[in-house]
Amino acid sequence: MNFGSVRVAFHPIVKTWAARGRILFSRKYLLYTNVGIAVTLSTTGDFINQRFQITKKEIDSLDILRSRDVAITGLFIGPFCHYWYLFLDWWIPGRCYRLLAKKVIVDQLVCSPVVIGLFLGITTLLEKKSLTAVKEEFLEKGGKLYVAELAVWPPAQLFNFYFLPTHYRVLFDNAISFLFDIYFSRIKYGKNGRVES
């Protein structure tokens, strides 16, 4: 096989995708790109969890309302993460070890609880439950989610803050979050799926 001809054949495709990527991650479109990534991956994570639940006979069929609720959380979490990383790089600029440690600590103390709170709060409110139910949901399930995040996010964020420019941070965050989206869905909805009040 002649790899030179394969490279020549794919060069226009790679060049086109690279140009589109530069546009999507440009300052002008970055917020939209980050929100789109958050909505898509959170919904896909829930879909995968629902397919698993169907396979295990925990639920009978896909719950479109549940998927809608999870997608809506992405509409809030995406912009939050977008602006959070911009703020964090402005507030704690630089990449020395001391600053990286400070960024990771602040990220874990602020960003993680906010994202968990947004996910649990929005999904619970969309289920037409009370603010008391939101508080109970956060107290019951938020700790499990936070402990799971502590196991993965500090090293992931060290990599993110050290190696990646700000405009790729939400993309990396969501790539790592994809597995958490499945786990978030599992913790939120348990084995029986969405329960109406």
Side-chain angles (χ1 to χ4, degrees), residues 55-84:
T55 303
K56 293 289 185 180
K57 302 198 182 325
E58 294 173 356
I59 60 175
D60 296 326
S61 62
L62 288 175
D63 183 343
I64 300 302
L65 289 177
R66 172 178 151 178
S67 295
R68 177 211 62 190
D69 294 353
V70 172
I72 290 171
T73 66
L75 290 173
F76 289 87
I77 293 171
F80 172 76
C81 289
H82 171 84
Y83 289 112
W84 171 250

Side-chain angles (χ1 to χ4, degrees), residues 3-14:
F3 288 107
S5 60
V6 171
R7 189 179 59 148
V8 169
F10 281 102
H11 182 72
I13 296 168
V14 171

Side-chain angles (χ1 to χ4, degrees), residues 178-191:
F178 181 64
L179 294 174
F180 273 99
D181 293 334
I182 297 167
Y183 183 69
F184 271 37
S185 180
R186 186 72 176 169
I187 294 298
K188 164 65 183 168
Y189 297 108
K191 291 186 174 185

Side-chain angles (χ1 to χ4, degrees), residues 10-26 29 33 167-168 171:
F10 281 102
H11 182 72
I13 296 168
V14 171
K15 195 173 178 180
T16 301
W17 279 101
R20 288 188 179 146
R22 280 190 295 277
I23 292 168
L24 288 174
F25 289 95
S26 69
Y29 297 107
T33 300
H167 59 280
Y168 291 123
L171 174 64

Side-chain angles (χ1 to χ4, degrees), residues 104-113 146 149-150 153-154 157:
V104 169
I105 290 167
V106 170
D107 186 67
Q108 287 304 294
L109 293 176
V110 177
C111 186
S112 286
Y146 189 69
E149 285 202 358
L150 284 175
W153 281 110
Q157 292 296 54

Side-chain angles (χ1 to χ4, degrees), residues 83-111 157-158 160-162 164-166 169:
Y83 289 112
W84 171 250
Y85 288 128
L86 292 174
F87 168 75
L88 201 57
D89 280 347
W90 169 82
W91 188 43
I92 309 171
R95 294 182 183 191
C96 72
Y97 294 121
R98 184 179 58 81
L99 293 175
L100 286 173
K102 188 175 181 181
K103 274 186 183 180
V104 169
I105 290 167
V106 170
D107 186 67
Q108 287 304 294
L109 293 176
V110 177
C111 186
Q157 292 296 54
L158 275 174
N160 196 1
F161 295 142
Y162 186 75
L164 299 177
T166 305
R169 295 236 168 100

